[in-house]
Amino acid sequence: MQRDKPDNEKYSVTALLGDPSFVRWALQQAPTDTARWEKWIAAGPDNATTAATAKQLLLQVRFTEHLPTEEMAAQSYQRFTGTIAALRQSPVQRRRLYAFLTWRNAAIWTGLLAIAGTAAFYTWRQQTTMKVSTAFGETRQVVLPDSSLVMLRANSTLQYRRSLNGQLRELWLRGEAWFSVNPDKKAAGFVVHTEDADVTVLGTTFDLKQRRHRTAIFLQSGKVRVDFHDPQRTSRILSPGDLVEYDAQHQQVSVSKTDSSYSSWTQGKLTLTDAPLSDIIDILENNYGEKIVVSDEKIKERKIEGIIYLENKADILFIISNVLDIQISRRNDTMYFSNRK
């Protein structure tokens, strides 16, 4: 890394490949460069992905080192001295031969680099894992390489392979996301992995959430199979409208029915039907990063019904404060819910 650039400098993959310091760190783990690049990678969420891609390309495009024998070296030296003697006797031919050799070497190296670059590019597309993250209060739409659509909820991370054509479409989720899977008869399947379960789908729409050792899968349309990581739990096939919730800490599974309002967050709103305040507290903590303390546990049991729009957190707090008649205050980084005095 150039020393006159700050540690938060943005680099593309191409820029990293041309940076001598990065190349030394990637190929040799040079101590003089390690601290600088580890600090840069930790400075931004996208830096790790960019560095991993560049490092993988450097590791893939390597040339085999051939060491000649003493006999081969002697023969090469004799040919070299003979060529030099001949060139000295014919200056015009020397210039022509030199130009020809230069052109031939350039053509050979151009061809080798083109082949290596093409191979590395396609290998990179097949193997590189892409990572998408959302901040607190942010919702992001992701279009996968197979045209499947993902709505990634706040405070969530999705990883997937860059090229999914004809392969097993495999993704990893931390947080919550809504999926609309594009049918692909050529693919080996579509699997989403979470910490406690795997969801296998084919041409379907579903909502998958995994937070704090609790997993919830709502199937809106199509068909999915849920494979729990707990060996004592058997796989389940879901039908449209099924909501399966799994508590990994207590090893409990519950199955119920609901409708598409469960995923109304994809439209920027919450559609609540007799929902306890505890559900909204979970949303404020998981999706907005709030730390909430409730003075009376009975407050969490108060119910609310209707539509709450998610664009403004202040609006959410105003609604629950007035509808549920609770007092909301903040001290430092903690929010306190208590009975209104």
Side-chain angles (χ1 to χ4, degrees), residues 76-90:
S76 177
Y77 177 75
Q78 290 176 359
R79 289 195 301 269
F80 173 74
T81 53
T83 300
I84 293 297
L87 288 174
R88 286 175 176 172
Q89 295 175 3
S90 180

Side-chain angles (χ1 to χ4, degrees), residues 20-35 37-38 41 51 55-56 58-59 62:
S21 173
F22 180 83
V23 173
R24 288 195 302 270
W25 171 78
L27 299 181
Q28 304 171 8
Q29 291 293 307
T32 56
D33 304 298
T34 298
W37 287 108
E38 287 181 350
I41 289 171
K55 183 177 181 180
Q56 187 176 23
L58 287 170
L59 293 174
R62 303 295 297 275

Side-chain angles (χ1 to χ4, degrees), residues 118-302:
T118 302
F121 172 75
Y122 282 105
T123 303
W124 170 64
R125 283 187 59 88
Q126 294 291 331
Q127 297 180 354
T128 299
T129 298
M130 306 302 292
K131 182 178 180 180
V132 182
S133 298
T134 51
F136 288 119
E138 177 190 13
T139 300
R140 187 170 178 180
Q141 178 175 295
V142 182
V143 179
L144 300 178
D146 67 345
S147 298
S148 294
L149 178 65
V150 181
M151 291 291 291
L152 192 62
R153 201 169 188 180
N155 187 28
S156 300
T157 298
L158 179 73
Q159 291 182 278
Y160 61 93
R161 288 199 174 93
R162 184 180 180 88
S163 179
L164 302 178
N165 296 330
Q167 299 178 338
L168 174 66
R169 296 176 288 175
E170 201 168 12
L171 305 92
W172 293 262
L173 174 68
R174 181 194 61 77
E176 182 174 1
W178 175 87
F179 296 81
S180 180
V181 181
N182 184 38
D184 187 350
K185 295 182 179 179
K186 296 181 180 180
F190 189 107
V191 181
V192 184
H193 303 284
T194 70
E195 183 179 351
D196 299 311
D198 303 324
V199 178
T200 303
V201 303
L202 180 61
T204 191
T205 304
F206 67 101
D207 191 315
L208 174 60
K209 175 170 62 176
Q210 197 285 321
R211 297 191 190 276
R212 303 183 184 186
H213 303 289
R214 296 180 65 90
T215 303
I217 307 102
F218 165 63
L219 180 62
Q220 186 172 333
S221 65
K223 186 177 183 180
V224 303
R225 185 186 74 238
V226 181
D227 299 305
F228 300 102
H229 295 175
D230 181 358
Q232 297 181 351
R233 297 292 171 185
T234 58
S235 300
R236 287 182 176 268
I237 302 295
L238 274 61
S239 300
D242 283 350
L243 172 63
V244 173
E245 297 175 284
Y246 174 59
D247 186 336
Q249 289 184 327
H250 298 91
Q251 298 183 333
Q252 295 178 342
V253 177
S254 64
V255 183
S256 59
K257 284 285 187 180
T258 187
D259 55 32
S260 58
S261 63
Y262 180 89
S263 300
S264 61
W265 63 266
T266 62
Q267 302 167 4
K269 62 184 180 181
L270 288 178
T271 303
L272 305 172
T273 303
D274 204 28
L277 177 60
S278 58
D279 288 354
I280 301 177
I281 290 176
D282 286 344
I283 292 172
L284 290 171
E285 291 181 333
N286 292 330
N287 299 303
Y288 292 93
E290 293 290 353
K291 180 181 178 181
I292 298 175
V293 175
V294 180
S295 62
D296 185 351
E297 287 296 313
K298 291 184 178 179
I299 294 178
K300 293 183 179 181
E301 300 174 3
R302 296 181 185 180

